[in-house]
Amino acid sequence: MSNPETLLKTPLHDLHVELGARMVPFAGYSMPVQYPAGLMAEHHHTRNAAGLFDVSHMGQLRLVGPDAAAALESLLPVDVIDLPAGKQRYGLLLNDEGGIIDDLMFFNRDHANGGDLFLIVNGACKAGDIAHIQAKIGARCEVIPMPEMALLALQGPQAVTALQRLAPGVEQLVFMSGGRFSIAGCDCFLTRSGYTGEDGFEISVHESQAETLARALLAQPEVEPIGLGARNSLRLEAGLCLYGNDIDTSTTPVEASLNWAIQKVRRTGGARAGGFPGASKILAQLADPASTVARKRVGLVALERIPVRDHTELQSADGAPIGEVTSGLLGPTINQPVAIGYVRPEFAALGTRVNAIVRGKAVPMEVSAMPFVPTRYYRG
């Protein structure tokens, strides 16, 4: 457990305390896990209205220079070069064994015409990520960390209603697009994206303006503050990976069922096939998963009302160990225990029955499609 004296504080720390948040150590920061309404109420409020999350612990950085896109593409198995200006994409930072160092978002702020590539990386990984990127491509482009920037996420079906009052025009953005807006007098860069499965926005703002922005958003009737607890239950229902739980340096994108994040241009036969760390292993896994992939990430729904938590062993019907749950809880929206886990490939087909061993008792689970709750991203 971190010493509270050594924990970093986000620019919204005092506001969280004022709002009655229960603060916990997370990724080296003191972060709000829940507010007085409680995790369940916060979860449902985000699904039904709009929730405001402080995600300022995450890392923000810029890549600048004419070679920035090609340089970044050398570290990721995704298409960076062809990403249009004004658009965002999900990326995977890989090591030489094809393991996932981190998952991240990158946005093309017209870098070809003097802009930049804007990256958001996970809080617990940011120091390592920035050092890795600097070491690998710092000679090809400028790598500029942005520790002075805060990050807020406004998520939920009424997020756009609340935000367009303060920033007319945001309603014209579609999922994974973005731009610069003035919100309550604050200079913001925002994207229409998020980590809940709902429509919503992620808003980058200077730390000096973060509290002004947060108070302006919380003043909207649709918006309530939401902590890390509900952030976790929302993302799990959306089938989204949590770095360090569901993906890490020991998992490849193919094992993690993230094949969709590897565009055709980087695959065998594509115009820029390979050329990323671990390419030979990952391209072999894509070509012949049956003989190269030992486990697959799957969704699981419990058939009894017993929550199945992280690190629970999974067994076959005859009691043989076949895998492990990496994230699990009672899904508040579907009111059923749901989980993400890894199983041997022969147990990965939809509808397959497996057992989770909870306190010595076998809890039957069924391999299920993800997301567990339909996503509601706004695609225009």
Side-chain angles (χ1 to χ4, degrees), residues 40 43-44 237 301-302 304-306 329-338 372-373:
M40 293 293 276
H43 180 108
H44 290 304
E237 287 187 338
V301 175
E304 296 175 4
R305 220 182 134 73
I306 299 172
L329 44 71
L330 181 71
T333 309
I334 56 170
N335 202 21
Q336 270 182 299
V338 293
F372 302 107
V373 173

Side-chain angles (χ1 to χ4, degrees), residues 296-304 306 308-309 312-327 337-358 361-368 372:
K296 289 290 287 183
R297 183 174 71 93
V298 296
L300 297 157
V301 175
L303 305 178
E304 296 175 4
I306 299 172
V308 178
R309 305 290 181 194
T312 300
E313 186 182 10
L314 297 169
Q315 295 183 354
S316 62
D318 58 8
I322 57 163
E324 182 182 68
V325 168
T326 50
S327 291
V338 293
I340 293 172
Y342 283 79
V343 295
R344 297 209 311 258
E346 61 268 31
F347 294 93
L350 295 182
T352 303
R353 295 284 177 95
V354 302
N355 289 324
I357 307 305
V358 179
K361 179 183 182 296
V363 176
M365 302 191 87
E366 188 169 289
V367 176
S368 163
F372 302 107

Side-chain angles (χ1 to χ4, degrees), residues 61-77:
L61 60 149
R62 303 166 53 218
L63 304 183
V64 181
D67 197 29
L72 181 59
E73 191 170 278
S74 74
L75 304 182
L76 312 174

